[in-house]
Structure formats: structure tokens, C-alpha cells
Amino acid sequence: MKPIPILFLASLLAVSVSCTTERKPSTVGTTSEVERRVDQLLSRMTLAEKIGQMNQVSAGGEVANYADALRKGQVGSILNEVDPVKVNEFQRISVEESRLGIPLLVARDVIHGFHTIFPIPLGLASTFDPELVEAGARVASVEATGQGVRWTFSPMLDIARDPRWGRMAEGSGEDTYLDTRMAEAMVRGYQGDLSDATSIAACIKHFAGYGAAEGGRDYNSTFLTERQLRNVYLPPFEAAVKAGAMTLMTSFNDNDGVPSTGNAFLVKDVLRGEWGFDGLVVTDWNSMGEMISHGFGEDRKDVARKAMEAGVDMDMMTYGYLSHLEELVRSGAVRESDIDQAVRNILRVKILLGLFENPYVDVEAGQAVQYAPDHLAAAQKTAEESAILLKNDGVLPLDPAAVRNILVTGPLADAPHDQLGTWAFDGEAGHTVTPLRALQERFPGKVTYVPGLAYSRERRDRFDDVVAAARRSDVILVFLGEEAILSGEAHSLADLNLKGSQSELLAALKATGKPVVATVMAGRPLTIERDLPNCAAMLYAFHPGTMGGPALANLLLGDAVPSGKTPVTFLRTVGQAPLYYSHNMTGRPYNGETLLDDIPLEAGQTSLGNTSYYLDYGAYPLFPFGYGLSYTTFAYSDIALDRETYATDGTVTVSFTLSNTGTRAGTEVVQVYVRDLVGSITRPVKELKHFERVTLAPGENRALKVSIPVQELAFVGLDGVKKVEPGEFQLWVAGDSASGTGVAFNVK
Ligand code: NOJ
């Protein structure tokens, strides 16, 4: 880790700070004590000092540049400073040189790890393993707090059903239930015991509907109805609030014409009113200012007033509050009592984090935990659980004894920065283990590396060098995909095929007749239909993080068995987007009708059918949600419900036997889906209601039971009230969203 020596040196010099880092016992106290402290402090603040708390500033360069504003109490929070010596200096000026000595909230986008980078959140979701994801969030907090960060802008809870949207990488995919479980896990992992110095405040974002950007183009408008918001997009946020999330970020998008940062319905009515959220609401970066571009406000003063009216507490980088709130209060346009409320929400977080007692980070101790061996091990295990086996004709796992000459090729084989994925600000290429390195270490002298393409977008007509090497090898491991920069914020794509000449490279490798194993690293499900026939096996790893190399080597060699499942539907072609498993039933559901290619050309133009599908691609995906193979096989049998009819306050218990029908131990992600057959509104054809990972020895049969409270089947129907509507239901227990036979039950 490059910065360490400088930091250590600086820490020795920063005497005034390091001598104050001895930790004092936290005196956070009970809820009423916290409120008393908040009120006491508030009563001593001038209007200007209150407004200062509501201002968040991006820190860069010299601390001295901010000293004046800090002394005047004009900054409540900084983001983007992770040098612990500088963080301490920021805090020292705030605590020792400002009138009231209020510490800063130091924020950072710690999205899937701090230094030790875990798989991108979409890859975290593909583990279907909330406990593991919680442990990963804990690792991120330990490392980030080790450098003074006490607030992360994570988890992102945006449901994403269009893979063109680059930020699909940052969330848990298309499903409300999976997203909800991951949201709770991440909040728990980050926040732990709040006043502990290794806990970090979570920020659930982006509130709300941001992932439904029209056309999958980032920042674009959304048009979600209130019912759609409440049934699909808001539940993960509500669950995260219940799990104790301390902060929330408003989103960039306007929904049905109202930008989120000025949306009183979302922030005041739903978040605070209905869910009782008393945490801190921050804007996204300049999303207050962008309300001017949206045409939702005339100038900064106008949008500052609108954000206040919506109930937004802190302004990230618009300086709208700092510049105009005082004037708005004086003119009567904004009530000082509303400002007091916002400041309470900010101070409460600072008190709960124990910042008043312990504003400083222990620089030396903090450095010692970065890239700790158990952090790297956790990142590797997560990457192993995250990879999805999409195809295997039997070539995997490779037999290490039989491998004499391996060709490693492809633009992602040795791309240490890119395998970290998007939002890996603090991850370092120098600490990343690529598949090439891991395989070279595993098979000294047996690996030939010919990149084929230097980067994913490179175009080449001929692959003579790769093909010649392929002919000399007994197995070809090709690493394809997209670089980190091709997904994430502002990085949407209209074409989701493998870029450049990657498909041609794969075809050339296949033509050698040698077994080709493809591994794809990407920020989204790419459209790989045309590539599947050109490989004997395909592992889909998303961007696997720091330890992606050893994780993939273990999977390829069978030391780990694939268990990841698709957290999003994989499309055949981008024109199918958005396509997701839990769609509503149309009046004319597709039933596998004839496609254009099935009609002989001589037949000329002919009508093909009258159902809801694309004439050229039908309406089925390449891989459904929840799909993934293993090195063994599983079977479900004896699926039975404990009753035929349930009360609305009852619990559905389904029993079944899961069998490992193969010859290796493996882990299956058991999934339970439910369909509500008739509702006051049309209902999704299936909705995930439970999942769990079950590990079985070869040949093992295990009797299992899953219980689902009937209340989990509640939804917002025609009358706008969330409740269970009695009637007929169907339930599936299966290994993915497209398999299994439904069993029927009733709710009375
Ligand atoms: C903009 C992004 O939308 C948000 O997710 C992020 O947390 C902020 N910038 C801060 O970097």
C-alpha cells in the first residue's frame, strides 16, 4: 500500500493530533440523553452555525484551505479525504478552534470495500448470502474507520431492471426481496455497535426510483407510479430504516416531474412520516443545484428553499444552504424551526457515532488493519461465492494433475485495476491478485500468457499469436468482459455485446479444437448469447475485487464449487430490456410462439402470433433470475405445504427434500417464489419470498422446511392500502425463477 510510509512519517510529525487519539469511554447514553445533548447544543448555536452544520464539502488539497470555514463553523461534513493525518487535522480545527467544537462527519464512497475490495455489489448479491455480505461490510468499516472515515455512501438500494444502466453494478439487481435482505445485511455490517470506533454510518441511496431511469440512461427521468414505488422500489429502503440505517441520500432523478431532492412526499411523508426515520437526509452531489437544470427552480436560492420544504438536512456540494438559508429565514420563506430539525438530525448522528468523545483516528493502529489477512480471506471467499457458472459441458473443474500447459488469454486476465470494478476509490492495483498471477503461482512454468487483446474495445482481424499458443496448450482460459470504467455512474451503454474483437477472439480459440473456458468480468449482465457456443464452460464473475484471481483459480480447479446465482435476468439481446422475472401477467402472455427465424424464407411475410413477444427474440431471457450451475446437481422432491388454507396472520410452511444428485459436495441456493393469482390489481407472475444456501455432501438428501408469514404477501392494491388480499396463491421451491412446479394454497 503506497501511502503508508508517508502517513507514518506524517503521523509522527502531527504531534498535537496524535497525543489526543487516546480513546475516551463513550458517553453516548440513552435515547433521551442523546436528545438532551442534541437540544443543549442546538440552544447554543447561532443561525449561521446551524446552517454550517447543514453544509457538506468535498475536501481536496491542503487542510489550510478549509481552516477558515471550519473555524467559523461553516462545514458540518467533509467527503473524499482519507489521509488519516489530514482527517485528524480537519477534526482538530473543528473541535479545538471553532466556537462550539462540533466534530465533522467524514464521508467517503466505501461501496464494496475500502482498501480490500470485495466483488461489486451486483456480485455480492449473486452470493445470495447476506451473512457473508454483512461480514464484508464490517471489513470495509474496519478499514475505512482506520483512516478516519465514519460515514459511507452505501448501500445503494436502487432496483435495476435495465442492464444498460451502468449503475446496476452498484446495487443488488432486479429483485425487491433480494435487495431488501442485502440492504439489511449491509446496514448491520457497517454500523455494528454504533459508538464503536470501527462503526461507520450507512447511507441508503438513492431515494428513490433512480434505477428506473428511462432507457437505462443514467440521470434520466423516471415515471414510477406511487403503487410501483411502494410495491417494488421502496421496500428495501423501509427495511434498511428498520435495520437502523442512520442516513439517506436523495437521488438525481425526477420522478413524474419531481426531482427527489425537492420531493416532500418521499422525504417528509413517506420516509419521516410513515417510517419514522429520524436520521440524516443528504442530497446527492449538487442534486440541489441540479434542480435548476431540471427546470424545477429558478436559482440556488429557490432550490435551497425547495430542498428545505422537502425535508432535506444536508447539502452536498451545492452550497445552496450555506449561501441562502440565512436570507430565506430572515425573509420568512423558511422557518428556523425546520432548520433546527435538520440540525438535530445531523447532531444526533455525530453523537451516536461517539464523535464528540473520540473525534480522532489512531493513525498507526488504523494502518495496521488495512489489507489484513482475514480481510483478504473474506474478500476471496465472497468472490468464490459470487461467481456464477452459466455453462459447463464437463470441462470444469479442471483436473490439476492433468494440466500441463495452460494458455491464459483475454483482456481481463491481468487487469488488476479493472477487476476491482466501479467505485473502488481506495482499492489499489498493486494489491490486486489477477487470475493470471494466481494461475502462475499455482502452476509454475505451465502457464503461457498471450493477452490477445490489450483491452476490451481493441479490434483485431487476426489472432495468430494467440492461436499458435492455443495449439500448444491443453486448455485455454480466456478472461473477457468490460473494464471497470464501462459501468458505474454516468457509464451507461446502449450495446451490451462483448466489446471490440472479444467475440472474434473467442471464436478463434474455439476453432483450435482445444477446450475453451471463458470467464467474464463485468459490471452488468452482458449479452453473451452469441459467445456461449464458443466455449465449453463459462463463469460469470462480475468484477470480483482484490482477490478475484485466487477465487477464480479455486473455482476453475474445483477447490471451490460455484454457487452464485444470477441477481438479474440475463438478456439475449439488449432490445429485450427491461426484462425481469417478476413482471405482471399480460392479457396475452407469450407461450413460446414461433419466431421469425422459424419461418422459411419462401413463406414470405406471415402473421406469427398474437401474444406479447418480439418476433425476432421472443420474450424469454438467456438466463432467468436466480440461475446458476454447480459442479454437482440438485433435485427437489416431496414439496408439500402444511395446510391448504391460511389466515392472513398465519404462516405458510413448505417442506421439501433437497438432494445432491451428483458426485461432489456443493451448495444450492434454495429459492421460494409465490404468485398471487388474482388481485385487485394485476400481480407479478412470481415473487421471491425466501432464499437460503444449503450445502450437501454427494448423495445427501436433506428434509427442509421454510416458513413464510402470510403478511409477506401483502402489497399495495387498488385502494392504496398495503395488505394481503385473500384468494388463491401458488408457491414454487426451486433452484431458479424459471423452474419447478407450483403448489397451490389459499388465504382466507
Ligand atoms: C454521486 C453519486 O450519485 C453518489 O452515489 C455518491 O455517493 C456521491 N456522488 C458522492 O460521491
Side-chain angles (χ1 to χ4, degrees), residues 79-80 109 153 167 170 205-206 210 249 252 284-285 316 423 425 489:
L79 71 155
N80 293 338
D109 287 282
F153 300 128
R167 302 199 79 169
E170 297 176 52
K205 68 185 189 185
H206 306 85
Y210 180 45
M249 185 187 292
F252 284 126
D284 202 339
W285 182 286
M316 184 197 292
W423 287 114
F425 272 160
E489 184 178 350

